[in-house]
Structures are given as structure tokens and as C-alpha cells.
Amino acid sequence: MTESGVPGPVEVIGAGLLGTSLGLALQAAGIEVLLTDLAPENVRTASGLGAGRARTPDDRPRVVVVAVPPDHLATTIAAALDATDAVVTDVGSVKSGPVAAIADHPALARYVGSHPMAGSERSGPLAGSASLFEGRPWAVTPHAASDPQAVATVETLVRLCGGVPIRLTPEEHDKAVARVSHVPHLLAALVAGRLADAPADHLLLSGQGVRDVTRVAAGDPALYGQIVDANATAVLELLGELRGQLDAVIDAVEQSDRSALQSLLAQGAAGTRAIPGKHGVPDRPMATVYVSVPDNPGELARLFADAGTVGVNIEDVHIDHDPGRPVGLVHLVVAEDRAGELVDGLVHRGWTARS
Amino acid sequence: MTESGVPGPVEVIGAGLLGTSLGLALQAAGIEVLLTDLAPENVRTASGLGAGRARTPDDRPRVVVVAVPPDHLATTIAAALDATDAVVTDVGSVKSGPVAAIADHPALARYVGSHPMAGSERSGPLAGSASLFEGRPWAVTPHAASDPQAVATVETLVRLCGGVPIRLTPEEHDKAVARVSHVPHLLAALVAGRLADAPADHLLLSGQGVRDVTRVAAGDPALYGQIVDANATAVLELLGELRGQLDAVIDAVEQSDRSALQSLLAQGAAGTRAIPGKHGVPDRPMATVYVSVPDNPGELARLFADAGTVGVNIEDVHIDHDPGRPVGLVHLVVAEDRAGELVDGLVHRGWTARS
């Protein structure tokens, strides 16, 4: 047992984006990391980045983290239980399939699944980063026979990587990610699919709304195909509900039934309010302050310096550039009850600002 | 005719968010604006902000802009054609319904519809801003009998407000907004609706993806009900296509047909690539640089000052706060071929940065 509470060394199987990020985070926390990957060049790259060293046959890992694609999870977890006496976890997107596949393994108690809600549109070891898990929810999904000490070890490992452990059963986890990830992804892909063959001048009217709705649909079709397929039961239940709701919308529009249409839209608005604030903290009311800023890097620094002087904390920023114009519109997101103060302070310092 | 090329004065009917913003933009460009609203307090508020003065019976507007809710567009446009000899336009979200409703008006040639792709989650005159239309696409939708000079006047007015005119027929416009706005909104509302009754611990796993997919669904259900109802034909055609695609997804998942599922997801990914860059300019390849920043306003100013010194232009910014931690993760979006340079420059200045 190291000082951190996580026994080392930790073996990471699969040195892609997640595995390399894990290695970097654990090594930064002073834990020795052993890397394994079918592709030796991934291990070399991840090692070169400081994510650990190649595992040798004499190594005796105390914890094994399986970070391989969904199709190979169950066999790799079973092999790790066979080959070691370590606590074994994985970082796969779907949790009940793998545990069912290894339900008869004699060392099942040493396995505890997990799933960090973190990723990137990039993949491979070069995209890895020690900060990938910083502040992210990270599901920890013990099964009925998981050893409580193994669960505690996995939760400690999650915290050590900067994640926020959220304990759910494998079945609850799969229903949750179907709802907050897999089904939104599929629907975004369908909406985006309707853009693929649209006339180009129609797409010129695209605003921020359609960009936001469809952004996730840019993800790798092969990977998301594996993920959705692995979570078919939970996904199908929600898709069935959505088909019913879509039929209700079509009926309401066909019959020009305003009150039915409004009530479906109101249910959606209620749903957006149900999402907790970042990292599970309830949202404070926020307001956006808009500032016109000449399009050069020095002006942005001056704006933040002035905002700092006013003393209002900036929660988020968005820059709305127009390549054809010399001025950009900077959106500063601040607590609602401080927006007026920030506008006044910025205007006083010569900025064109409004909330 | 004023120097700007837009004849004045311009009457704005409806002093809400859009009308007030128009008044502010036109007055800033030196055009006299006359305000009309069923609610006298809206006119007082908008006037107080500098969006124009209350119209009197003796005023002779040369251009009228109708900025009223969808249900009242056609009657207000017809009344403006009756009451004046001005060019009449409107800023409604749907274009073929109103022109069909006034098809027999003897002064139809003086009417040219328009639709700025700009808005806010707020409404009313106090939310108005002269910069609301800056760099936004703004559809101009002449009908077959529109006077070419009237079309030119409306396009000049759009440019004067900072918008980018995009000419489409009313029918093409309605098909375009069904695809890039109304249908994405409805599908986002359905996905969000599935969140409303989800267990709270399931929603703790919500990441940025589901927030983006559902953000627009927070809009006013009554307003979007009017908009969708007014564009029923175009919306229903696309919803019918989506129902077919949803059935295909359900079949693919039920039968575990990976190749069908992947091809539907690939069509979505292609759709995201079809959306033009902001303001119709093709996207340059961008990369994100991640920087760990202590959570206080002075640090942000120092970061932008250092980024300015490195000389790489920052295209967008996002701040990922974690209220429980003393460090935030700032995402700086820059041209892909400059990301390495920015990382090096920031690391050299003592920042923890990666791309």
C-alpha cells in the first residue's frame, strides 16, 4: 500500500487516450504504472510521455485497469483476474455486459467496474493528459459479489486521478448512460444526418442552436456503434419512448394542436432544468455580459485585466468572431446578481458592454 | 433617401427584443426610428434606451419593419401596407404563410420578408442590443411580385444593422429553417423530455454532450409552439423522414446490425461536416490548448496577456470550473498549426498547458 491509499504498482492495459491519461495521472500522484498494449508502439509512445513503463513478466501489479475497446472488455478483464491476484477494474462505457460475461469467474470478487465521463474527439496515446479526469464524474459500479475493499481501492484511484466517484450498480449505470449519453448521441446523429444532403444555401442559415444539437454526432461511428450495441437493452427502451413522443409531436403539428405541442416543448424545457450544474453542484443563476472587442490578442488581455479589476468572477467565456469584421463579441458568463456591476465597470473603463 | 442608402424614417412595429435591437442599430447608423407597440410601456422603455421615438399620426415612414409574434404577422403587414406607401418588411421566423395570407393585397410589391438568425433566451425591450445582428445570417425572402428596389432597400437595411443578407424564396427559407432550426429544436426537446423524470443519480453522469444536445430546448414553449405550427408543412416532411430513420436505428440495435448502425452514425458525422463555419466562412482546422489556471480573476488576465505575447490568435475560449477545486481548466481554441507554438510559449512562461 502506498501513501496514497492505492496499492502499487498499477497495470494499465490499453495505452490509448484513456489508458495513457490514467498512467500520467497516477504517475503524477507517485504511483508506479506498468503499461500493456497489443501494439508495442502505443506502449513506447505512452512511456515516452511519462505514463509508465512497459510491464515485464516479473512484475506483480496490485491493481489492473483495463482500458480497451468495448468488444474486448470481458475477455481482457477475465484474463487479468487469471493472471494476477490484483484488484481489477475497467473504464468501459457499458457495465452490465462484461460482468455478466464473467459471472462464473472464481475471482469475480476482485473485479469492480468503473466509467469516467471524460473523453476527447481525439484518440490514441498522444491525446492523453494527466488532467483529462479533473473534476469529471466517474461512475464506480460494484456488482453484488464485489469485495468492499476492492470497491474502496477503485474509488481512491478515481479521486487520485481527479475524478468524482459516483457509485451505481452496473444496471443503473447502463440505464443512466443510455439516457444522458447514448440516446442523445443517436438523436443528434439523426438530426445531423438530415443536414448531409441539404442544399448548401439552406445550411447558410445554421445558427448556434443546430451546431450545439449536432456537435456530438461528429464522434467516431465505429466506436459509437460498439458502445450502443453493447448497451442495446437500455438504449432500446428509451428509443421506444422517443418513438412514441415523436409520433405525438407529428400528430400535434398535423392537427395544429397548440396545447399538445406546447406541453411537449414544456416537458423538454423542464428536462433541461433537471440537469445538475457542472460536477453535480446546483446551478446558480447566471447572466451573460456582451462586450465588443477589437480583434487582436492584446485587447482580450486588456479586457480580462479590466474585468479582474472590477472584481467579478468570470465563470465562462465565449468569443463570437466574425472574420469579415474588425470587432468580435465576447460573452462573459457571470453570476446574475453581479452582471450589472461588471457592465458598469467595463463601460466606465471605455468598453462597449451590455448584459 | 439618407446617405446610408436606406430611406428614413423607419418605423418599427413591435418594440420587443428584435424591434428594440433594430431601433438601436438603425439609430446608431444615423437613421431616424419611429416606434409602435400595442403596449405603450414597451415604446417608453425602448425610447429610453435610444431605440427611437414614439410614432405620431403625422409621421410618414419610408420603411416599416414588422417585429411582432408569428400569429400577428400577416395582419400587421397588411395594415402597414394600407397605412403607408413605405417598403414593408418583417422579421418573423416563417415566411411563406404571411405572404400567402396577403397575396391579394394591391400593394404586395412593396412587401419583402426577412428573418435575422439572431435572438436571445431573454425577451422584451430591455434585452435589446445594437450588436444583436452583428455578423449574423439574415434571410431576405422576396416573393415573385416583390419590387426589386424594395428588395435592395431591405438588403441595405440588413447590412446597416450588421447582418449578412442571404436571399431565398419564402418557400426555400421555410424548408431551410425547418431543417436547421425548428426540427433540431423539437428533437432536442424530446431528448430533454426524457431527462425530466430520470432518477437524480442518473443525471449526475451528464457530461457536456447532453448539455449541448438539449440547450435550445430551454426556449419558451409558447413561442416555439407558434413557430413550429406556422411552419407545419416543412416541419412535417422532415419529421416524417426522421421517424423513418429512428425506426431504422431501432431495427439496427434490435438486430445488433453493426454495419447498419455505423452507416447511420456515419451519415450524422457527415452532416456535422456540412455545416459551414461561422458566418458562412469555411472552417479552418482548429485545435484546443488546455491550460490549468488557479481560480481567481487576476490569473485569467495574466494568461491572456501571456497568450498575447506569444502572438497566437485565440478563436474561442471555454472555462471548465470545478467549484470544489482551486484550479480551473481553460480551453483555448486556436488554429491547428499554431497550437504547438502556444503550448510551448505558455509552458515557457510557467503555465501547465497541453494540446
Side-chain angles (χ1 to χ4, degrees), chain A residues 35-215:
Chain A
L35 298 167
T36 305
D37 196 298
L38 288 180
E41 65 272 24
N42 278 358
V43 171
R44 276 196 301 273
T45 304
S47 295
L49 294 168
R53 64 169 174 81
R55 184 188 170 183
T56 67
D58 291 341
D59 285 319
R60 293 284 168 271
R62 304 283 306 281
V63 178
V64 178
V65 183
V66 175
V68 302
D71 283 353
H72 305 286
L73 277 173
T75 50
T76 313
I77 293 165
L81 289 171
D82 290 338
T84 68
D85 58 1
V87 170
V88 176
T89 187
D90 73 301
V91 292
S93 307
V94 180
K95 307 274 42 125
S96 48
V99 76
I102 61 166
D104 295 331
H105 197 286
L108 188 62
R110 281 192 277 123
Y111 168 66
V112 181
S114 87
H115 178 208
M117 307 307 290
S120 165
E121 67 283 8
R122 298 169 64 206
S123 58
L126 279 171
S129 157
S131 61
L132 188 70
F133 309 108
E134 274 293 320
R136 299 288 169 189
W138 188 326
V140 176
T141 59
H143 53 83
S146 288
D147 170 14
Q149 186 54 49
V151 179
T153 297
V154 172
E155 288 186 336
T156 305
L157 180 140
V158 166
R159 285 196 197 89
L160 210 61
C161 292
V164 179
I166 291 166
R167 204 185 285 196
L168 291 167
T169 65
E171 296 70 27
E172 289 298 307
H173 167 276
D174 289 356
K175 288 183 187 175
V177 291
R179 195 183 293 268
V180 303
S181 173
H182 305 166
V183 164
H185 189 105
L186 287 170
L187 273 286
L190 293 188
V191 172
R194 299 300 84 207
L195 304 177
D197 47 4
D201 56 351
H202 289 199
L203 295 180
L204 287 179
L205 298 188
S206 301
Q208 195 56 44
V210 67
R211 287 170 218 272
D212 285 352
V213 172
T214 59
R215 185 185 60 80

Side-chain angles (χ1 to χ4, degrees), chain A residues 129 172 179 194 202 354, chain B residues 129 172 179 194 202 354:
Chain A
S129 157
E172 289 298 307
R179 195 183 293 268
R194 299 300 84 207
H202 289 199
R354 64 178 169 99
Chain B
S129 158
E172 289 298 308
R179 195 184 292 267
R194 298 300 84 206
H202 288 198
R354 63 177 171 102

Side-chain angles (χ1 to χ4, degrees), chain B residues 74-97:
Chain B
T75 51
T76 313
I77 293 164
L81 290 171
D82 289 339
T84 68
D85 58 1
V87 169
V88 176
T89 186
D90 73 301
V91 293
S93 308
V94 180
K95 306 275 43 123
S96 48

Side-chain angles (χ1 to χ4, degrees), chain A residues 71 129 136 172 179 194 202 211-212 215 229 241 243 247 256 258 276 279 317 320-321 354, chain B residues 71 129 136 172 179 194 202 211-212 215 229 241 243 247 256 258 276 279 317 320-321 354:
Chain A
D71 283 353
S129 157
R136 299 288 169 189
E172 289 298 307
R179 195 183 293 268
R194 299 300 84 207
H202 289 199
R211 287 170 218 272
D212 285 352
R215 185 185 60 80
D229 190 27
E241 290 179 24
R243 178 159 55 179
D247 285 343
S256 196
R258 283 280 182 93
H279 322 301
V317 188
D320 205 357
H321 266 291
R354 64 178 169 99
Chain B
D71 283 353
S129 158
R136 299 287 169 190
E172 289 298 308
R179 195 184 292 267
R194 298 300 84 206
H202 288 198
R211 286 170 218 273
D212 285 352
R215 185 185 59 80
D229 191 26
E241 290 178 23
R243 179 161 55 179
D247 285 343
S256 196
R258 283 279 181 92
H279 323 300
V317 188
D320 204 358
H321 266 293
R354 63 177 171 102

Side-chain angles (χ1 to χ4, degrees), chain B residues 212-342:
Chain B
D212 285 352
V213 172
T214 58
R215 185 185 59 80
V216 294
D220 177 15
L223 177 62
Y224 279 92
Q226 280 191 39
I227 292 173
V228 167
D229 191 26
N231 200 18
T233 308
V235 166
L236 282 172
E237 186 178 334
L238 282 165
L239 288 181
E241 290 178 23
L242 277 170
R243 179 161 55 179
Q245 297 276 303
L246 180 56
D247 285 343
V249 169
I250 291 174
D251 284 353
V253 180
E254 268 174 356
Q255 293 161 31
S256 196
D257 180 345
R258 283 279 181 92
S259 96
L261 188 52
Q262 264 197 47
S263 113
L264 287 157
L265 289 165
Q267 203 179 351
T272 63
R273 291 189 297 271
I275 302 177
K278 278 182 188 170
H279 323 300
V281 174
D283 275 332
R284 270 187 304 162
M286 290 289 162
T288 301
V289 169
Y290 302 88
V291 193
S292 297
V293 178
D295 202 355
N296 80 59
E299 289 299 307
L300 213 51
R302 194 165 70 79
L303 171 63
F304 282 95
D306 284 353
T309 311
V310 177
V312 176
N313 207 37
I314 292 166
E315 300 290 336
D316 205 350
V317 188
H318 173 67
I319 301 178
D320 204 358
H321 266 293
D322 181 358
R325 291 167 175 275
V327 171
L329 197 64
V330 174
H331 308 210
L332 302 175
V333 179
V334 299
E336 200 177 39
D337 55 2
R338 306 295 302 278
E341 194 180 334
L342 180 59

